[in-house]
Amino acid sequence: MTASAATRKKIESLREQIRYHNYRYHTLDDIEIPDAEYDRLMRELQTLERDNPELVTADSPTQRVGAEPSGVLQTVRHRLPMLSLDNVFADDELLEFHARVAEKLEFEDGAPTLSYSAEPKLDGAAVSLLYKNGSLVQGATRGDGTTGEDITHNVRTIASVPLHLLGQGFPKMLEVRGEVFMPRAGFEAYNKKAREAGEKTFVNPRNAAAGSLRQLDPKLTAARPLDMYVYGVGLVEGGKLPGRHSEIISKLQEWGLKTCPESRVVEGVQGCVDYYYDIGAKRDALSYDIDGVVYKVDSLALQRELGFVSRAPRWAIAHKFPAQEELTTVEDVEFQVGRTGAVTPVARLTPVFVGGVTVSNATLHNIDELHRKDVRVGDTVIVRRAGDVIPEVVSVVKDRRPEKTKRVRLPKLCPVCGSHVKREEGEAVARCTGGLYCKAQRAESLKHFVSRKALDIEGLGAKLIEQLVSEDRLADPSDLFRLTREELSSRERMGDKSADNLVRAIDASKSTTLARFLFALGIREVGEATAANIATYFGSLPAIKNASEDGLTKVPDVGPVVAKRVRSFFEEQHNLDVIDGLGDLGVHWQDSEPMKVAEDGPLSGQTFVITGTLPTMTRDEAKTLIQREGGKVTGSVSSKTDFLVAGDKAGSKLAKAQKLEVSVLDEEGLRRLIAI
Ligand code: IVH
């Protein structure tokens, strides 16, 4: 029976698609579809070709794994080809593999079991390392299996790749093969930095490893957190290796090469299945990505007996895990408000099974990233879920974009509390300005509000606050002052005595200082010292509330960014209401005279640093004195510093001041300078 025209067409279309994705993957380093989808296309083509062998052509992508190297780096011919592995996905396919092996080896029932080396299938880039007389002479990518690229300069930058083997007994020529990968933590950290800088992120750790290895400048590779586990050998000349794969791996380890600690020898197919589920259960907790496990017949003699089929050995098989990347569609994009007010876009997805769980939400990190990836409602996207990291939208499959899509904009108002959403210049993250008012931020804000340097309410721990917030008992900080002894003592693990103490502490906290109160409000960038400066400068809350950005920048150590944050906070009516509510419940402090800063005071234009313990005043008091006379106080000594005020145990700042020939004063000297 000859193939129908439809089958021919289907085969041609699959080949075209696969060639295109090979090119994107190998040459452009820029994938468009997840591996799982690529595997499906490949399998579909393989099945059609198997059923219609007359249609197999030499140039079909099934006849060669991989693609041409990109041509930028020097090419390297592998003396022994770097093979690939056949895959199985289900347990029964594994049983079939084992049955084929046992049959070919004429293993009878009742004969001793077959030992396999079981190893994680690392998700990175395959690399060959060539050692001549123990010295690393060449590193190469796998490329198409026959020809790879010379990446010697780059593999040399990987700390776990020995430049010379340890010990003795290694063959004169030894080619080891293994996987270079980027551990998840390094990958996440790299992407976080890139995201904050508005730069392109890596799609996944495998891409990150492959891309890093193919850098032309080894300095760039060196800056990437790469690691390598070796899992086999290629060319071996002038020496002998043991007769079992597992023994070879132990030898490689003795010679200083790094091998995967999860590898072990298992007995028979049952041993393989047990290993698969064992590693599967550990998968999320591993520090690197794996996409399955590999079983290799451990005896080299038996491996030789089994031989190869086209590009893959008959003695090994990869048993894949559920893919960590899958395709799905974006049904909507919503914005979530985090505990610190960060407004994050989240994609609502058509549920998809990925990384072992069903995922229906994925983060888009921030609005810039969303726009850079150009994610729209209706798009087909790749979602990735690996380890404990929250699922993320990795990229859009542009050629599957429907005609009608909806673009996404950053909301102007917080979806939780309705306060304004603001994004400071140069910042990737947009934030809700609701602070204390915003329910999403309530627990965090309240913990800060009661903390030691703020209102200092002893006995009100983080757990209790979280419970009270989740029970909706604390809508804003004023509710703290409405908590009753009866209500508190009826709670689990809270006796009458602790309830009494807590109510007393809450009551006592009502009498506070303006500086503490201002700090307690949790205005971003307004730490304890800044709050104290602002309080001292203005003397009263109304004065602060009404201060302009310009006015605020007159406060010592307050720059334009802090001034803006303070202004935005007091422009939000909700925040003013919260403050009024606190006043109504009796929170109070003593106003002080606004600080008179002598614009042309005796110290104006002079910069001071204070260090060590002064005999009669605290450093803060000294600072206020200096500022009142028009001087500026900064934290570190530089060539711009005019005076260092040094007390006891002055340390490194004093040394630096002496080196830079900055005048050094003691407390007495400072008093003289300002004539008090
Ligand atoms: S053995 C002849 N062992 O999987 C066998 N490969 O599809 C050659 N891989 O390109 C490979 N972990 O990059 C082997 N423990 C492991 C592996 C492993 C990952 C990759 C390797 C290779 C691909 C084969």
Side-chain angles (χ1 to χ4, degrees), residues 91-217:
D91 291 0
D92 55 348
E93 292 176 292
L94 174 66
L95 295 181
E96 285 168 24
F97 161 80
H98 177 71
R100 280 198 303 275
V101 169
E103 191 192 9
K104 190 131 175 80
L105 295 175
E106 296 176 3
F107 258 63
E108 306 283 338
D109 280 352
T113 53
L114 196 55
S115 303
Y116 287 100
S117 170
E119 312 165 3
K121 186 168 189 297
L122 307 155
D123 204 4
V127 162
S128 143
L129 302 174
L130 188 61
Y131 287 91
K132 197 170 171 182
N133 295 321
S135 285
L136 176 66
V137 292
Q138 186 179 74
T141 63
R142 175 168 176 273
D144 65 4
T146 313
T147 315
E149 288 168 313
D150 186 341
I151 49 159
T152 313
H153 55 298
N154 289 338
V155 291
R156 289 174 63 88
T157 70
I158 302 173
S160 50
V161 170
L163 298 183
H164 200 281
L165 298 179
L166 300 178
Q168 286 124 28
F170 36 77
K172 274 202 156 69
M173 279 291 225
L174 174 66
E175 183 199 359
V176 294
R177 292 173 175 179
E179 200 85 350
V180 169
F181 58 95
M182 188 178 281
R184 261 182 220 147
F187 166 77
E188 294 298 337
Y190 182 95
N191 270 3
K192 184 164 183 269
K193 246 173 120 181
R195 230 168 352 246
E196 280 164 8
E199 284 163 11
K200 201 170 169 216
T201 49
F202 284 123
V203 174
N204 53 37
R206 190 206 41 224
N207 245 257
S212 304
L213 279 179
R214 296 179 65 250
Q215 291 297 323
L216 292 174
D217 179 358

Side-chain angles (χ1 to χ4, degrees), residues 83-85 119-122 126 142 179 231 294 296 313 315:
L83 301 171
S84 63
L85 292 167
E119 312 165 3
K121 186 168 189 297
L122 307 155
R142 175 168 176 273
E179 200 85 350
Y231 52 61
V294 183
K296 300 170 183 169
W315 43 262

